[in-house]
């Protein structure tokens, strides 16, 4: 059984920064695909950034240059560093994991079998 637990959400003013963390436990490994998604009220879930082992990372265009993803395999932890936050970034952020993926499916929700409970990020203007 795989469990994903997110942390690091909260309220921040526009222009500020936050770092989210997702700790994975259970039958995961360093070769698994992991990603961050978000969903704002009334909107569809969207992929934000993902990481495939061996160094490939993908970031959605709408956060490119502001958000970055990283991974510490020794700690089974995925991070999302969010800088220059905007009110439009307000959403519930979810961590997801899958045994395999490719660069085309990295930010597609159906790729992922396991999801965390989410952590709320609220950006005020």
């Amino acid at each position: 059984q795989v469990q994903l637990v997110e942390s690091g959400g909260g309220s921040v003013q526009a222009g500020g920064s936050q770092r989210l963390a997702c700790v994975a436990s259970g039958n995961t490994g360093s070769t698994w695909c992991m990603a961050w998604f978000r969903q704002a009220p009334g909107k569809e879930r969207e992929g934000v950034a993902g990481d495939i082992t061996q160094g490939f990372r993908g970031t959605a265009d709408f956060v490119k240059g502001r958000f970055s993803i990283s991974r510490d395999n020794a700690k089974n932890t995925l991070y999302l560093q969010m800088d220059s936050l905007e009110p439009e970034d307000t959403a519930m952020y979810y961590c997801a994991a899958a045994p395999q993926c490719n660069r085309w499916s990295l930010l597609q929700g159906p790729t992922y079998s396991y999801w965390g409970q989410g952590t709320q990020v609220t950006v005020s203007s």
Side-chain angles (χ1 to χ4, degrees):
Q1 186 69 17
V2 173
Q3 289 189 327
L4 304 172
V5 179
E6 303 97 336
S7 63
S11 297
V12 64
Q13 288 194 326
S17 297
Q18 275 190 325
R19 189 173 81 153
L20 306 182
C22 169
V23 178
S25 61
N27 191 24
T28 61
S30 61
T31 60
W32 279 48
C33 297
M34 296 188 74
W36 289 98
F37 288 77
R38 72 184 187 185
Q39 188 167 21
K43 295 188 177 181
E44 293 187 354
R45 182 181 59 195
E46 56 188 2
V48 176
D51 178 272
I52 306 175
T53 192
Q54 299 171 355
F56 180 79
R57 293 170 179 162
T59 307
D61 288 344
F62 55 80
V63 297
K64 199 159 288 184
R66 299 189 299 121
F67 291 11
S68 62
I69 189 171
S70 62
R71 185 169 178 171
D72 185 337
N73 287 324
K75 296 182 178 179
N76 290 328
T77 302
L78 184 75
Y79 300 99
L80 183 68
Q81 178 65 42
M82 305 184 293
D83 298 318
S84 302
L85 282 161
E86 303 169 351
E88 293 74 21
D89 296 317
T90 295
M92 185 73 79
Y93 283 73
Y94 297 92
C95 176
Q100 59 183 7
C101 67
N102 55 50
R103 60 185 63 200
W104 292 277
S105 65
L106 181 62
L107 297 183
Q108 303 299 316
T111 299
Y112 295 90
S113 312
Y114 301 98
W115 295 83
Q117 293 298 309
T119 186
Q120 177 68 37
V121 173
T122 302
V123 184
S124 58
S125 57

